Amino acid sequence: MSFHDVYNQLNPDQLRLEINSKQQSDVEVALAKTKLDINDFQALISPAAAPYLETMARRSQQLTRQRFGNTMQLYIPLYLSNKCTNICTYCGFSLGNKIRRKTLSMEELDQEIAAIKAMGFEHILIVTGEADGTVGMDYFREVMPHLRKHFAHISFEVQPLDQADYEELIELGLNAVLVYQETYQREPYARFHLRGSKQDFDYRLDTADRLGKAGVEKIGIGSLLGLDEWRLDNLYTAFHLDYLEKTYWRTRYSLSVPRLRPCEGSFSPEHPVSERQLLQLICAWRLFKPELEISLSTRESARFRDNVMSLGVTTMSAWSSTHPGGYANRDESLEQFSIDDNRRPDEVAVAIREKGLEPVWKDWDTSLSA
Ligand code: SF4
């Protein structure tokens, strides 16, 4: 049994119809419940829920404070390499794009670590392009001891790996893996992924199962908002999460809601998502899954992040550079996509405090037990 078995039973045409036929009465039924199911989630992401955004935001805020207290977890992405052998039409690191390619040496990694530690971060998200020959298991084996020495919590957002590789990385100190399906629809997935191992939709779809079997502490899932229909992709994500929670119940889960951003190669999203729709989505997820960690990155503007940070989000990145080596030596020309919130971590921390929240620099578990 894997998520594939669930996935194969889902019919996108029927699910799209179900979402679009939701009425305001369905939204009101969902809002009256304390424990919501997938049917209620469909109602809350539907167009019929748009007039209820204020009510949803109030409920979402209340649930988030109940479960997570008055805190906001902070993390920083560390890009190790922008080499990539794949062509993904929406990404600045895509093979065809003429950018300077760079993979950090261990000496450069140590410089990045020192720059990040000076900012106070304990929670690191390691990001690479997908280039097995350069940034494969041999490279990860080399970098893990450097990271383990300095960070309380290590997450990876790299190419999907085999179960045995995940098991080895967990032994070396890996805590969490984020792997986004980008879109759960096969046809658009094939159109956006034109070359390389990421073309293998099924191997990517099975990644969370391999992680669950390997016993990782936390798995992050989500879709890339703007590639295809955000409502449908998030409904698929909800089925995915429901399945994972039931199957790998010891694991914690997080969700990201990344919106497509401008990048090298000037890609424009076919299905743009407005800020209001993004807020609706965040609130719908919170009402559906009160325990779920929800992350909002610096892809979003400072104004939007400040406005929504208390309404359902639990985790935020700050001062992100998508340039390998970008903290010790900032160079915008190697970026994967443009960042909208360029504030330094201390400025983000001030904005968080102004909302009555306490910035947390470690992961939940370690910070709560400290
Ligand atoms: S999305 Fe990932 S796999 Fe695709 S080009 Fe960008 S870095 Fe490479």
Side-chain angles (χ1 to χ4, degrees):
M1 172 83 180
S2 77
F3 178 62
H4 252 99
D5 302 302
V6 178
Y7 179 86
N8 288 336
Q9 287 168 14
L10 300 175
N11 178 333
D13 294 332
Q14 187 195 328
L15 292 174
R16 186 184 296 109
L17 194 67
E18 283 175 19
I19 296 170
N20 288 328
S21 59
K22 290 292 179 199
Q23 306 291 316
Q24 294 197 350
S25 55
D26 299 310
V27 179
E28 286 167 13
V29 166
L31 288 171
K33 286 186 176 177
T34 49
K35 195 167 172 18
L36 281 68
D37 58 23
I38 286 217
N39 194 35
D40 300 314
F41 181 70
Q42 280 185 332
L44 294 181
I45 58 172
S46 75
Y52 295 85
L53 188 55
E54 271 186 36
T55 312
M56 287 173 65
R58 262 199 311 277
R59 285 280 305 281
S60 173
Q61 184 174 35
Q62 195 183 24
L63 285 168
T64 310
R65 298 288 74 83
Q66 265 171 21
R67 169 61 184 87
F68 296 92
N70 293 325
T71 57
M72 179 64 66
Q73 188 194 338
L74 287 170
Y75 73 94
I76 192 164
L78 168 49
Y79 278 69
L80 298 182
S81 174
N82 62 2
K83 286 199 179 155
C84 192
T85 51
N86 294 343
I87 295 183
C88 307
T89 55
Y90 50 83
C91 177
F93 289 176
S94 189
L95 180 66
N97 288 341
K98 293 195 180 359
I99 57 167
R100 275 185 297 130
R101 304 286 171 168
K102 181 174 179 58
T103 301
L104 296 186
S105 67
M106 292 308 116
E107 198 186 344
E108 289 167 325
L109 172 62
D110 288 337
Q111 288 168 7
E112 284 295 88
I113 290 173
I116 287 171
K117 290 294 286 186
M119 294 186 256
F121 288 97
E122 287 290 337
H123 185 169
I124 192 91
L125 171 65
I126 295 301
V127 188
T128 66
E130 299 195 7
D132 269 326
T134 316
V135 282
M137 277 303 288
D138 286 345
Y139 185 73
F140 298 144
R141 284 184 194 106
E142 221 183 325
V143 303
M144 280 306 288
H146 294 252
L147 300 172
R148 193 68 277 175
K149 238 190 287 174
H150 296 284
F151 296 104
H153 193 273
I154 303 168
S155 303
F156 264 32
E157 187 180 336
V158 305
Q159 70 272 38
L161 299 168
D162 291 341
Q163 183 181 334
D165 296 331
Y166 287 133
E167 286 166 357
E168 185 181 343
L169 289 168
I170 292 166
E171 282 290 309
L172 294 173
L174 179 67
N175 302 101
V177 175
L178 317 185
V179 59
Y180 309 129
Q181 190 60 31
E182 317 299 16
T183 171
Y184 283 81
Q185 311 310 315
R186 285 184 188 275
E187 184 278 322
Y189 187 96
R191 262 191 298 122
F192 295 122
H193 302 101
L194 299 181
R195 180 189 147 144
S197 51
K198 198 164 174 178
Q199 286 182 297
D200 192 340
F201 180 95
D202 295 308
Y203 186 69
R204 196 169 186 88
L205 193 67
D206 280 337
T207 307
D209 272 287
R210 294 194 300 280
L211 282 161
K213 287 176 189 147
V216 77
E217 196 179 303
K218 182 162 76 177
I219 300 172
I221 61 171
S223 60
L224 188 50
L225 305 181
L227 272 192
D228 201 51
E229 300 160 67
W230 64 271
R231 293 185 169 95
L232 188 60
D233 268 334
N234 273 272
L235 184 54
Y236 271 76
T237 311
F239 278 108
H240 200 173
L241 183 60
D242 249 11
Y243 159 82
L244 291 169
E245 284 181 334
K246 284 181 191 130
T247 312
Y248 310 105
W249 50 271
R250 287 176 202 272
T251 308
R252 285 192 295 151
Y253 295 94
S254 68
L255 174 90
S256 288
V257 283
R259 282 197 303 172
L260 268 168
R261 299 284 304 145
C263 69
E264 183 70 34
S266 52
F267 179 87
S268 313
E270 283 179 23
H271 300 268
V273 179
S274 70
E275 289 186 348
R276 215 177 145 79
Q277 289 170 329
L278 179 54
L279 178 58
Q280 181 187 348
L281 180 63
I282 292 170
C283 296
W285 270 110
R286 173 58 62 229
L287 269 58
F288 177 45
K289 296 281 180 192
E291 309 278 309
L292 183 65
E293 292 176 26
I294 301 178
S295 175
L296 192 65
S297 79
T298 51
R299 287 169 180 259
E300 299 300 335
S301 68
R303 178 192 47 78
F304 181 74
R305 295 211 315 161
D306 286 357
N307 285 338
V308 306
M309 69 166 72
S310 64
L311 304 180
V313 174
T314 58
T315 314
M316 288 169 73
S317 52
W319 189 238
S320 304
S321 169
T322 66
H323 152 215
Y327 300 113
N329 175 24
R330 218 162 169 94
D331 176 353
E332 309 296 339
S333 68
L334 299 180
E335 301 286 0
Q336 185 185 27
F337 52 83
S338 55
I339 298 297
D340 212 338
D341 184 350
N342 282 305
R343 291 174 295 180
R344 292 191 54 87
D346 47 347
E347 295 175 274
V348 174
V350 168
I352 290 171
R353 286 201 182 90
E354 279 172 1
K355 293 287 171 187
L357 304 174
E358 189 54 34
V360 174
W361 301 85
K362 291 187 177 184
D363 192 52
W364 302 114
D365 275 355
T366 44
S367 59
L368 291 174
S369 61

